[in-house]
């Protein structure tokens, strides 16, 4: 069994840092790097890319709303055409830094409120995914379980890697429970580990209502800004390897038809 372990990184700004990126880069196999809208700046992006390259970690663009004050987690009403342009802008910013470093960008993901909105709304997912395809059809889309994003990706000939958010609660439709709802973010390391083990062994996630929801995941995601993220990553990686599994970059794990990712 091979699975990707990834984290959202590069989410500081200027003199302010967010999380322990260096420690996480020693544990994960893929990194989703903020592109300057919800967090990040050119120098942080460059340093994170260089550190990821030195460790052989896959690099992806983490694309969000232009909302530094709200860390991209506030809903914003922006015309879909403008949002699509913002997606391309952010992809281009990170791709330029990656190219200058002599590396390659393998994937992208939608951050925070933008990701949640696209996952739940096909009419929003379609223009955003088309923007990704227009930029680079070789990019993987790393996403939480979403029929909207998977359908849009299939229509554009893009591949999707489904990621399991180990520290976030799911509803019965496989969508993330909104932040601000009690229990939406899981802070107990034992519970996070239990959820990962159930996914690996049984292929299911227990929803907020207690339902066992089948999930085929190629990747496991941890939020770099979550307290204890480094310890979570270390524990999860150890659990995978103890079970005889291998942690591998997401770009090495995707096969099959567009719109569907498999490990």
């Amino acid at each position: 069994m091979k699975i990707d372990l990834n984290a959202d990184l590069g989410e500081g700004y200027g003199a302010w840092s967010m999380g322990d990126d260096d420690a996480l880069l020693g544990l994960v196999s893929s990194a989703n790097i903020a592109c300057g809208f919800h967090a990040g700046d050119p120098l942080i992006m460059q340093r994170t890319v260089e550190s990821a390259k030195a460790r052989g970690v896959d690099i992806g663009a983490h694309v969000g709303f232009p909302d530094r004050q709200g860390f991209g987690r506030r809903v914003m009403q922006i015309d879909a055409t403008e949002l699509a342009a913002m997606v391309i802008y952010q992809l281009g910013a990170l791709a330029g830094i990656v190219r200058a470093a002599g590396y390659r960008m393998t994937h992208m993901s939608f951050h925070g409120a933008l990701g949640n909105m696209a996952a739940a709304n096909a009419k929003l997912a379609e223009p955003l995914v088309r923007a990704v395809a227009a930029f680079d059809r070789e990019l993987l889309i790393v996403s939480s379980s979403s029929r909207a994003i998977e359908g849009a990706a299939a229509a554009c000939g893009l591949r999707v890697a489904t990621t399991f958010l180990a520290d976030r609660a799911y509803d019965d439709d496989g969508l993330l429970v909104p932040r601000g709802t009690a229990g939406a973010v899981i802070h107990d390391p034992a519970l996070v580990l239990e959820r990962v083990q159930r996914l690996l062994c049984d292929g299911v996630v227990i929803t907020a209502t207690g339902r066992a929801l089948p999930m085929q995941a190629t990747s496991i995601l941890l939020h770099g800004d979550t307290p204890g993220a480094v310890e979570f990553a270390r524990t999860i990686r150890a659990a995978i390897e103890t079970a005889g599994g291998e942690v591998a970059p997401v770009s090495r794990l995707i096969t099959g038809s567009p719109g569907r990712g498999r490990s």
Side-chain angles (χ1 to χ4, degrees):
M1 184 269 300
K2 296 181 180 180
I3 195 161
D4 172 55
L5 184 59
N6 71 41
D8 300 339
L9 302 177
E11 293 182 318
Y13 184 74
W16 291 273
S17 60
M18 178 73 78
D20 190 343
D21 286 4
D22 283 340
L24 282 168
L25 281 168
L27 296 166
V28 301
S29 47
S30 300
N32 312 314
I33 300 177
C35 300
F37 269 38
H38 75 278
D41 62 35
L43 186 56
I44 288 175
M45 292 163 69
Q46 183 180 57
R47 288 172 174 168
T48 309
V49 165
E50 291 171 349
S51 294
K53 178 186 176 183
R55 294 170 169 86
V57 171
D58 269 8
I59 290 175
H62 204 33
V63 172
F65 279 130
D67 178 30
R68 289 197 186 109
Q69 289 87 346
F71 201 61
R73 288 174 176 161
R74 298 184 296 189
V75 171
M76 302 181 75
Q77 300 301 327
I78 300 175
D79 178 78
T81 300
E82 185 176 1
L83 273 178
M86 291 178 178
V87 168
I88 293 172
Y89 185 96
Q90 292 174 80
L91 292 175
L94 185 64
I97 290 174
V98 172
R99 180 178 177 181
Y103 209 42
R104 72 185 184 104
M105 192 166 80
T106 58
H107 64 280
M108 67 79 61
S109 61
F110 297 108
H111 167 77
L114 179 62
N116 292 342
M117 291 168 67
N121 185 344
K123 290 184 178 180
L124 178 59
E126 289 164 3
L128 300 188
V129 171
R130 281 200 305 270
V132 177
F135 181 82
D136 184 352
R137 289 186 178 274
E138 295 302 313
L139 286 178
L140 303 172
I141 295 181
V142 176
S143 172
S144 59
S145 176
S146 165
R147 288 187 293 271
I149 290 176
E150 290 165 5
C156 292
L158 297 182
R159 296 166 296 165
V160 175
T162 300
T163 189
F164 170 63
L165 280 68
D167 56 359
R168 293 284 271 109
Y170 285 79
D171 66 18
D172 288 349
D173 292 321
L175 300 175
L176 298 177
V177 173
R179 285 181 181 268
T181 304
V185 181
I186 300 165
H187 299 286
D188 182 354
L191 182 54
V192 171
L193 179 59
E194 178 185 327
R195 287 160 54 82
V196 169
Q197 290 173 329
R198 188 180 292 269
L199 176 78
L200 296 175
C201 296
D202 303 328
V204 300
V205 57
I206 303 302
T207 69
T209 64
R211 177 186 172 192
L213 183 71
M215 181 176 293
Q216 290 183 308
T218 306
S219 180
I220 297 173
L221 170 68
L222 287 169
H223 291 95
D225 66 300
T226 298
V230 173
E231 190 56 38
F232 282 169
R234 185 175 291 113
T235 299
I236 291 170
R237 183 171 186 125
I240 294 168
E241 293 173 343
T242 298
E246 177 186 347
V247 174
V250 66
S251 64
R252 287 173 44 193
L253 303 180
I254 298 300
T255 59
S257 60
R260 303 184 69 186
R262 292 291 181 268
S263 57

